[in-house]
Amino acid sequence: MRLDAVDHRLLAALAEDARIPNNALASRAGVAPSTCLARVRRLKEEGVIRGFHADVDPARAGRPLQAMIAVQMRGAARTRLSAYLQRLADLPGVLHVFLLGGAHDFLVHVAAPDSDALNEFVIEHLSTDPDVALTETNLIFQHARAGWY
């Protein structure tokens, strides 16, 4: 699917505020409200827009400790990376999972209530898994949401 300037303006406005009313979105994109509605519908149908989500602050939601955990799988488990990615994504406290090329197979972004809970997560869900060869936990002190669009 080819995106034009209007599509990019729509995506930028929605990335900034997914709850923007259609008439305001249309105005920002420079199109009629009916055109805007049709364009957004098409962007969703084509998979360009995957969904609309709340940007929840983990700290204010009771999970102030965030970490990026690098996971390296054992050789035999590499045939099941896609399934393992989804399994990781379904674990409690997981915010994002990235399948990587390089020394590590995954980066898992987690939020936990405290260091004991983070330690328990790593041990219970990763270190004791026979498919996991190695984990490396890095604490996140600060982060900023990028304004990609």
Side-chain angles (χ1 to χ4, degrees):
M1 173 177 177
R2 295 187 78 77
L3 302 180
D4 63 14
V6 172
D7 293 323
H8 287 287
R9 286 193 299 270
L10 291 169
L11 292 171
L14 288 169
E16 185 180 314
D17 179 7
R19 295 178 53 140
I20 186 171
N22 185 63
N23 59 348
L25 180 59
S27 176
R28 292 210 21 210
V31 296
S34 59
T35 301
C36 179
L37 198 58
R39 291 272 192 135
V40 170
R41 184 178 299 122
R42 181 179 55 91
L43 290 167
K44 287 192 303 190
E45 288 170 355
E46 294 291 330
V48 176
I49 297 175
R50 295 184 294 193
F52 299 92
H53 310 280
D55 185 9
V56 177
D57 183 334
R60 291 180 186 231
R63 294 179 171 267
L65 183 63
Q66 292 186 57
M68 292 296 271
I69 305 168
V71 179
Q72 187 178 42
M73 306 300 287
R74 296 195 189 281
R78 294 187 192 284
T79 61
R80 301 182 302 279
L81 292 179
S82 293
Y84 199 76
L85 179 134
Q86 190 55 55
R87 190 176 135 227
L88 289 170
D90 291 339
L91 292 174
V94 172
L95 303 175
H96 302 96
V97 181
F98 305 94
L99 177 59
L100 307 173
H104 300 290
D105 296 302
F106 296 102
L107 267 182
V108 185
H109 180 195
V110 300
D114 54 40
S115 61
D116 289 336
L118 177 60
N119 183 53
E120 182 179 319
F121 175 89
V122 172
I123 292 170
E124 182 178 324
H125 298 293
L126 302 174
S127 297
T128 58
D129 187 323
D131 287 338
V132 174
L134 172 77
T135 66
E136 182 181 306
T137 302
N138 296 282
L139 296 181
I140 297 171
F141 295 122
Q142 293 182 4
H143 78 283
R145 182 173 183 251
W148 182 62
Y149 249 96

